[in-house]
Amino acid sequence: MPEESKPGCQRPPIQKMNVETDISTEPVKEAKKSMIRVGKPAPNFTTRAFHQGKFKNIGLSELKGKWVILCFYPGDFTFV
Amino acid sequence: MGAEVLSVSVDSVFVHKVWNDIELSKMIGHDIPFMMCSDQDGSIGRAYGIYDEDSGVETRGRFIIDPDGIIQGFEVLTPPVGRNVSESLRQLQAFQLVRATGGAEVTPSGWKPGKQTLKPGTDLVGNVWKAWKVEQAFED
């Protein structure tokens, strides 16, 4: 029987299938992680966004010339 | 302060819309003013080093990016602890001041708008103790 889990801000780890391709991609992920440094360029990205009633496509590079505060968070409807 | 705010999570834009419509807009009395970005495959989070592979979500990473696209500062918290918005704004104002003065003025510990800055130069070497007191770091 599946047990009820209490809602919280911290998500339990996902039990992922052991896919072998994960092993080969791991060094790439590690390399990307080490790229973030102050004084260095912010990685560009393009994605979809919701903004005041509309869905939009946004690229970070479109915001050159402006100060940007980029905030990540664990998920909508989390509590804090 | 003229900064553009972007929020990012692994939720879809549809979930962002519903969260805005049924909860956040009621909290603040109007729509969320900034763009709520979707990063469903975690690729943006990975590029910024804040994607948690174990739980499949993004941690509370906050990055200040200047008009040239350079990261000036960041802070990363685990999910249960919220950020201090005033501290992010204080840092933004400090970075903007430094940029506006071309680095002629810098902001010592505890600086806020209106408080004393320091002007780096040969005269200041070894003399910060005369120009700035430790207590100033704790004053409002």
Side-chain angles (χ1 to χ4, degrees), chain A:
Chain A
M1 271 291 279
E3 281 175 32
E4 185 187 349
S5 66
K6 294 212 170 83
C9 287
Q10 198 102 49
R11 270 206 218 173
I14 297 169
Q15 297 295 319
K16 284 184 182 159
M17 300 277 282
N18 210 350
V19 185
E20 246 176 72
T21 50
D22 273 0
I23 297 159
S24 59
T25 58
E26 208 55 42
V28 179
K29 285 173 190 167
E30 288 306 316
K32 277 186 179 170
K33 274 181 192 170
S34 64
M35 280 164 61
I36 285 295
R37 289 195 215 142
V38 291
K40 302 290 178 197
N44 189 32
F45 59 83
T46 56
T47 189
R48 295 186 79 204
F50 174 74
H51 187 218
Q52 301 194 315
K54 295 193 172 107
F55 298 123
K56 297 179 177 175
N57 292 312
I58 172 74
L60 182 66
S61 56
E62 293 168 35
L63 301 175
K64 278 265 173 81
K66 286 182 172 179
W67 287 86
V68 175
I69 298 187
L70 180 64
C71 287
F72 295 87
Y73 61 101
D76 293 351
F77 297 101
T78 51
F79 305 100
V80 297

Side-chain angles (χ1 to χ4, degrees), chain B:
Chain B
M1 285 167 257
E4 197 78 38
V5 176
L6 297 181
S7 69
V8 189
S9 78
V10 297
D11 301 283
S12 70
V13 287
F14 303 124
V15 180
H16 287 335
K17 178 183 188 307
V18 174
W19 192 29
N20 172 78
D21 293 355
I22 75 159
E23 184 168 51
L24 298 180
S25 57
K26 290 175 183 151
M27 242 182 227
I28 60 174
H30 52 81
D31 277 347
I32 288 293
F34 49 79
M35 279 180 273
M36 303 172 76
C37 303
S38 173
D39 183 25
Q40 285 186 275
D41 64 356
S43 59
I44 304 173
R46 271 191 207 99
Y48 282 81
I50 53 82
Y51 182 76
D52 180 15
E53 301 283 347
D54 294 332
S55 54
V57 298
E58 268 135 20
T59 52
R60 294 188 197 278
R62 186 272 288 142
F63 298 81
I64 297 179
I65 302 168
D66 77 13
D68 297 320
I70 303 297
I71 296 175
Q72 291 295 341
F74 60 82
E75 173 189 67
V76 187
L77 307 176
T78 52
V81 171
R83 301 169 245 249
N84 184 339
V85 178
S86 338
E87 172 57 9
S88 293
L89 296 179
R90 186 198 72 83
Q91 288 182 21
L92 174 64
Q93 287 169 307
F95 286 123
Q96 287 179 334
L97 181 145
V98 170
R99 188 179 171 92
T101 64
E105 289 183 47
V106 296
T107 63
S109 177
W111 179 88
K112 286 178 184 175
K115 285 179 76 173
Q116 185 198 341
T117 57
L118 291 174
K119 298 178 180 65
T122 47
D123 293 348
L124 196 60
V125 177
N127 287 320
V128 174
W129 67 279
K130 290 180 194 161
W132 182 83
K133 307 294 173 205
V134 175
E135 298 77 54
Q136 291 177 251
F138 301 99
E139 287 167 358
D140 267 337

